[in-house]
């Protein structure tokens, strides 16, 4: 993935970095280098942020937007891993091992990103215990998410899979800025859950009738997060 020239930002990249949990343990010198090395990128809806098979050059944070992390199985089946919302960082696992990226990331809406170069990421690993702990937490949370993904993809129907897909967004480590009132369209939910808009509409109505969420103009409000996580149809 190649960084593009920065454009005027709707949100401050520097403020987003300073508010990130991993930044709280950095020294002033470490923060100064991070801020100097970071790159901004604006990605329009539908564009690819990074592709499977590409060299991994950056750790990526979402200042504003919605991304889909996905891949395609050897049999040609599309697999969505998760959505990436404001305040979230991803790609640490790819930076920690040699070889190309193993998944695709696509912007589902216009998105504003912060890119930390590989060299800066590894320098922080070498120089900051707090940053190391943050990365370890992310890796552990992603492992749990992927295990759950395999389980519900094989065992649950579409309604239940969609419920789990929504619930997976509410991980405070992977999507720290998410609110129970989430601005997201049914089309975007369908792209995340690999379901048609018509099928999404039916599933959301069923989840609303179960008292798990409330449908609103341009989004949803989650009423029972634990219920979403355990919904079986």
């Amino acid at each position: 993935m190649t960084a593009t020239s920065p454009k005027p930002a709707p949100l401050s990249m520097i403020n987003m970095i300073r508010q990130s949990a991993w930044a709280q343990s950095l020294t002033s010198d470490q923060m100064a280098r991070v801020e100097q090395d970071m790159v901004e990128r604006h990605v329009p809806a539908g564009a690819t942020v990074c592709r499977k098979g590409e060299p991994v050059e950056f750790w990526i944070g979402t200042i504003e937007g919605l991304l889909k992390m996905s891949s395609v199985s050897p049999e040609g089946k599309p697999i969505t891993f998760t959505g990436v919302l404001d305040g979230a960082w991803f790609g640490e696992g790819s930076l920690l091992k040699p070889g190309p990226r193993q998944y695709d990331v696509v912007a589902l809406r216009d998105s504003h990103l912060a890119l930390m170069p590989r060299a800066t990421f590894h320098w922080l690993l070498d120089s900051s215990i707090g940053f190391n702990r943050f990365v370890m937490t992310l890796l552990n949370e992603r492992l749990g998410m992927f295990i759950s993904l395999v389980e519900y993809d094989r065992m649950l129907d579409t309604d239940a899979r969609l419920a789990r897909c929504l619930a997976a967004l509410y991980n405070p480590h992977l999507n720290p800025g998410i609110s129970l009132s989430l601005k997201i369209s049914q089309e975007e939910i369908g792209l995340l859950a690999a379901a048609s808009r018509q099928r999404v509409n039916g599933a959301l109505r069923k989840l609303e009738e179960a008292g798990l969420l409330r449908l609103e103009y341009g989004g949803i409000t989650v009423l029972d997060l634990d219920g979403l996580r355990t919904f079986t149809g």
Side-chain angles (χ1 to χ4, degrees), residues 162-179:
L162 188 141
R164 305 299 176 88
C165 175
L166 290 175
L169 296 176
Y170 287 87
N171 182 305
H173 300 285
L174 302 182
N175 279 318
I178 194 169
S179 166

Side-chain angles (χ1 to χ4, degrees), residues 197-218:
R197 182 171 180 176
Q198 182 179 6
R199 190 67 185 85
V200 168
N201 182 268
L204 290 175
R205 295 292 178 188
K206 189 171 183 178
L207 296 175
E208 185 175 46
E209 290 171 2
L212 303 180
L213 55 79
R214 181 173 62 248
L215 297 178
E216 299 173 345
Y217 181 76

Side-chain angles (χ1 to χ4, degrees), residues 20-66:
S20 296
W22 56 266
Q24 305 312 306
S25 63
L26 300 188
T27 66
S28 57
D29 288 343
Q30 288 169 334
M31 180 59 73
R33 171 167 173 178
V34 167
E35 293 178 3
Q36 178 180 342
D37 293 351
M38 297 293 293
V39 179
E40 282 185 313
R41 186 182 178 196
H42 294 258
V43 183
T48 299
V49 176
C50 44
R51 290 184 175 86
K52 182 176 181 178
E54 286 183 338
V56 183
E57 302 172 352
F58 298 100
W59 192 43
I60 304 172
T62 306
I63 303 172
E64 185 177 43
L66 174 62

Side-chain angles (χ1 to χ4, degrees), residues 69-80:
M69 187 183 296
S70 63
S71 187
V72 178
S73 74
E75 296 76 28
K77 178 183 177 182
I79 303 170
T80 297

